[in-house]
Amino acid sequence: MPGLAESFVGSIDQGTTSTRFLIFNRDGEPVASHQVEFEQIYPNPGWHEHDPLELVSSVETCIEEAVKKFEELGYTRQSINAIGITNQRETTVVWDSETGEPLHNAVVWTDTRSQAIVRELKSRKGAEDLQQVCGLPLSTYPSSTKLLWMIQNVPKVKAAFERGHLAFGTVDAWLVYRLNGGPAANVFVSDPTNASRTMFMNLSTLEYDDRLLDFFEVKGKIHLPRIVPSSDRKAYGSISSGALQGVPIMGCLGDQSSALVGQKGFYPGLAKNTYGTGCFLLYNVGEKPVISKHGLLATVAYQFDGKPVYALEGSIAVGGSGIRFLQNNLSLFKESKDVNELAATVEDNGGCIFVTAFSGLFAPYWIDDAKGTIFGITQYTQKGHIARATLEATCYQTKAILDAMEKDSGHALSELAVDGGMSNSDLAMQIQADLSSIPVYRPKMRETTALGAAIAAGLALGLWRNFTELRDINRAGGAVFEPSVSPEKSAEMFALWEKAVQMSKGWVKKDSVAANGVHNIRKPSVIANGKPKESVFIAQSVFSDLDGADEEDLLLELRKIEIQQRLKILRKGLKP
Ligand SMILES: Nc1ncnc2c1ncn2[C@@H]1O[C@H](COP(=O)(O)OP(=O)(O)O)[C@@H](O)[C@H]1O
Ligand SMILES: O=P(O)(O)OC[C@H](O)CO
């Protein structure tokens, strides 16, 4: 190994919409990088999946390409001495513990298909005690309810569960397992920042808690990754093939914790807000977890030298994905950055408020059945107003989270440090400063999520020995956005937003796709004739056999059932 000063650390950043690999030097500067986007799969309204094998291959591609660029700059791959991993959290991967093959697409953190399961779990004894132990409220967001959905609805997953072969992991565990070579090496671990998003881990002990596993009825029935510190020389194994074969993985952090580390939020009272696909505000609360009374989550910020450090978290489901919605679904512009030009064509939101509740509303509201709703549309409304209202939506929710944090912690933030793709928007950051009435600080180098994982690995490697040595990293050249409207004006705007949130509730009580995966499409007329249960039951059993079939097949099957039912009724001499 070369002298530490010539050492580099690689960082895998596996996000919701793209994967990156960055190679950092000891000054925390990215020297080479590569990024690829991968497929977003939306099989039904409210559903969101990723192909687990594509997640792995996207990482491998990024490593190969970044190393190529690194060597073109005159460096050698041998100087990359450790790798850190950071990843989208909660996204749930299941695989066969013997073969290492995935049993279903990964169910992404934004996915709301487990709504009915959540409703049922909330009625169980002990439901109200869960948050005290694991820090999260019952919702469609954590991995636990996504896993239960798969066990109940995907025959292959159910079969593996019954045979005792079901391995469950968040994306970090899956990547570490596969990058180490899968079942042959069987490196099956996760770090506490990721494990704290499953609802299976006790926040205080950093171990799985039998009460939680019992509640979800999975105790002793699934293979769970061993929880190990976020920074560790041995536990995460090493890369088994490719350009960085043999390089040890020494750091692992869920992406939001990683951004907090990358922003060097090491001391209680420091916070950051990351505007990626979603938007997540983490506030360092020190060595004891704080259970929120105002709709925030308690989570692990990092565990570096044995002692964990905790954070209060405000999670917003839709951040940059709101912009992608305008881009991909409404074709309002070609690239995300164009939202700014469009929003700048108007002076204000023209009276429009867009509650971007595409996955219900997360913190601090936790309204599962809220749906995306635009209020205040008139003949005056232009595309620019909608673009502006989309940027504002994330900023309003951030303001609501800041208020909740102030109530939980007893003191207000004096400045908000930001990062993530959407923080590239000067307009969005100015709106944020205006709505929250505090300055917004944006560092020059915005790849703070990747930097955090590099720091976790670099601390284990010895590239940096302590936080003091990290002090000067990414300090110069940031931008500050100062509030430019009066607190009274922003309070007035915020009151309108809060009203819109209340009005977005309860649009439909049940999703159009039932909890068991059956389409609730036009009901066969027999239902109106008093036999709903039978026909629905038949539909369910047919569709569970058709797991993986496309929508057209399913519609065809439903029509067949309807015809069969009508014939049955006709034969009995009843009118259909
Ligand atoms: N210049 C920009 N202005 C506004 N939004 C942007 C800009 N650049 C990227 N984004 C948004 O940032 C998001 C991607 O951010 P990123 O941090 O890469 O997310 P993730 O890690 O979740 O994949 C996208 O949803 C995109 O719409
Ligand atoms: O992909 P991001 O950056 O929006 O982060 C996703 C979060 O980890 C979900 O909790």
Side-chain angles (χ1 to χ4, degrees):
M1 185 167 112
L4 279 179
E6 296 95 56
S7 263
F8 293 82
V9 182
S11 180
I12 297 166
D13 179 357
Q14 202 305 294
T16 310
T17 53
S18 73
T19 300
R20 303 160 164 88
F21 184 69
L22 292 91
I23 301 165
F24 287 95
N25 64 18
R26 193 172 180 274
D27 294 328
E29 296 159 341
V31 177
S33 66
H34 192 75
Q35 176 171 2
V36 295
E37 295 205 347
F38 52 85
E39 197 185 352
Q40 305 296 319
I41 306 164
Y42 301 104
N44 281 307
W47 295 26
H48 187 182
E49 299 178 355
H50 290 156
D51 173 352
L53 294 175
E54 193 185 0
L55 296 184
V56 177
S57 63
S58 70
V59 169
E60 289 167 345
T61 305
C62 287
I63 292 179
E64 296 305 309
E65 295 303 316
V67 169
K68 228 185 260 169
K69 292 177 195 171
F70 184 68
E71 295 202 315
E72 279 162 16
L73 291 170
Y75 301 107
T76 64
R77 62 186 70 186
Q78 287 72 25
S79 58
I80 303 170
N81 299 126
I83 287 173
I85 295 186
T86 178
N87 56 285
Q88 51 170 325
R89 306 162 307 162
E90 300 92 22
T91 297
T92 303
V93 192
V94 286
W95 64 95
D96 185 303
S97 58
E98 304 260 294
T99 65
E101 289 311 309
L103 294 166
H104 193 260
N105 275 340
V107 177
V108 179
W109 60 274
T110 48
D111 189 296
T112 55
R113 77 183 67 182
S114 60
Q115 266 187 46
I117 291 178
V118 170
R119 272 197 295 274
E120 192 274 312
L121 291 172
K122 277 185 178 167
S123 67
R124 283 193 195 173
K125 194 167 161 273
E128 60 292 345
D129 304 329
L130 301 177
Q131 190 167 359
Q132 284 298 325
V133 185
C134 69
L136 310 184
L138 261 174
S139 80
T140 57
Y141 179 38
S143 313
S144 55
T145 62
K146 299 175 194 302
L147 174 66
L148 289 197
W149 187 92
M150 285 197 269
I151 293 173
Q152 290 174 19
N153 294 287
V154 182
K156 272 207 243 169
V157 177
K158 192 172 181 208
F161 178 70
E162 282 164 359
R163 280 188 305 133
H165 282 196
L166 183 63
F168 150 81
T170 40
V171 169
D172 57 315
W174 168 244
L175 292 179
V176 168
Y177 177 76
R178 290 295 290 222
L179 293 174
N180 269 277
N186 200 25
V187 180
F188 189 33
V189 290
S190 183
D191 97 299
T193 68
N194 278 295
S196 71
R197 316 301 294 185
T198 60
M199 287 195 89
F200 297 147
M201 191 191 85
N202 181 316
L203 263 193
S204 303
T205 63
L206 304 191
E207 283 169 9
Y208 296 114
D209 189 299
D210 282 352
R211 284 167 299 175
L212 299 169
L213 297 172
D214 264 340
F215 180 86
F216 291 104
E217 297 176 354
V218 293
K219 192 171 104 192
K221 295 180 178 168
I222 54 173
H223 296 259
L224 287 161
R226 189 163 59 90
I227 303 171
V228 298
S230 318
S231 182
D232 194 287
R233 287 184 76 87
K234 293 242 159 65
Y236 295 100
S238 59
I239 304 283
S240 66
S241 62
L244 295 184
Q245 185 175 12
V247 179
I249 302 166
M250 292 196 186
C252 180
L253 288 162
D255 56 6
Q256 303 309 324
S257 292
S258 196
L260 184 68
V261 169
Q263 291 264 17
K264 292 169 283 167
F266 296 129
Y267 306 100
L270 295 181
K272 67 87 211 179
N273 202 23
T274 301
Y275 301 74
T277 303
C279 180
F280 301 86
L281 204 160
L282 262 68
Y283 178 98
N284 183 326
V285 295
E287 293 180 7
K288 288 215 167 74
V290 173
I291 304 295
S292 173
K293 293 193 173 64
H294 301 95
L296 305 176
L297 309 180
T299 199
V300 179
Y302 52 85
Q303 185 201 11
F304 285 162
D305 54 0
K307 276 180 288 174
V309 169
Y310 295 91
L312 262 177
E313 173 175 326
S315 329
I316 300 169
V318 175
S321 56
I323 297 165
R324 293 272 170 130
F325 172 79
L326 303 184
Q327 177 188 332
N328 300 333
N329 302 38
L330 304 187
S331 306
L332 292 191
F333 41 79
K334 289 218 163 66
E335 288 180 63
S336 293
K337 65 177 173 44
D338 303 338
V339 70
N340 302 301
E341 209 174 302
L342 181 58
T345 57
V346 292
E347 277 194 358
D348 54 26
N349 63 22
C352 285
I353 303 269
F354 189 177
V355 183
T356 49
F358 304 155
S359 301
L361 278 172
F362 286 11
Y365 308 107
W366 300 107
I367 309 172
D368 275 353
D369 65 8
K371 289 277 181 262
T373 317
I374 305 180
F375 295 93
I377 295 185
T378 65
Q379 292 279 22
Y380 171 79
T381 307
Q382 301 291 323
K383 287 189 267 190
H385 296 123
I386 306 289
R388 205 174 172 105
T390 308
L391 297 179
E392 287 180 359
T394 307
C395 300
Y396 280 125
Q397 290 173 76
T398 296
K399 153 81 178 145
I401 285 166
L402 285 169
D403 289 352
M405 284 207 170
E406 187 176 339
K407 287 184 199 142
D408 273 332
S409 68
H411 52 93
L413 271 190
S414 55
E415 183 182 83
L416 184 63
V418 300
D419 51 45
M422 187 179 154
S423 77
N424 288 315
S425 162
D426 287 2
L427 179 60
M429 295 304 99
Q430 186 57 53
I431 292 173
Q432 187 65 78
D434 291 346
L435 289 178
S436 44
S437 304
I438 52 171
V440 167
Y441 170 73
R442 183 179 67 189
K444 184 162 181 233
M445 200 285 291
R446 255 94 88 190
E447 297 287 0
T448 38
T449 301
L451 177 60
I455 290 175
L459 285 169
L461 179 70
L463 185 60
W464 302 287
R465 283 167 301 177
N466 49 49
F467 294 159
T468 316
E469 290 191 359
L470 297 162
R471 201 182 44 206
D472 292 333
I473 287 180
N474 205 19
R475 255 176 86 163
V480 179
F481 299 84
E482 295 285 350
S484 65
V485 303
S486 69
E488 291 73 30
K489 172 76 184 154
S490 69
E492 198 182 297
M493 292 168 74
F494 186 65
L496 211 55
W497 160 264
E498 292 274 278
K499 185 174 173 193
V501 165
Q502 293 314 314
M503 290 173 70
S504 73
K505 275 187 196 175
W507 167 245
V508 277
K509 276 292 164 205
K510 283 193 177 157
D511 251 359
S512 57
V513 177
N516 49 19
V518 178
H519 284 248
N520 236 352
I521 54 174
R522 198 168 57 82
K523 288 174 184 160
S525 54
V526 67
I527 288 179
N529 285 319
K531 290 205 174 177
K533 286 206 173 113
E534 192 189 351
S535 59
V536 170
F537 172 76
I538 295 171
Q540 285 176 353
S541 55
V542 169
F543 289 139
S544 61
D545 293 343
L546 284 173
D547 186 58
D550 68 16
E551 193 151 325
E552 259 182 36
D553 292 337
L554 296 174
L555 283 167
L556 203 66
E557 282 307 322
L558 243 198
R559 285 205 192 98
K560 275 195 219 154
I561 292 165
E562 186 173 355
I563 290 164
Q564 281 163 8
Q565 292 289 352
R566 279 165 180 262
L567 281 174
K568 221 164 135 189
I569 291 163
L570 280 172
R571 279 193 202 106
K572 281 190 190 163
L574 293 168
K575 277 191 181 167

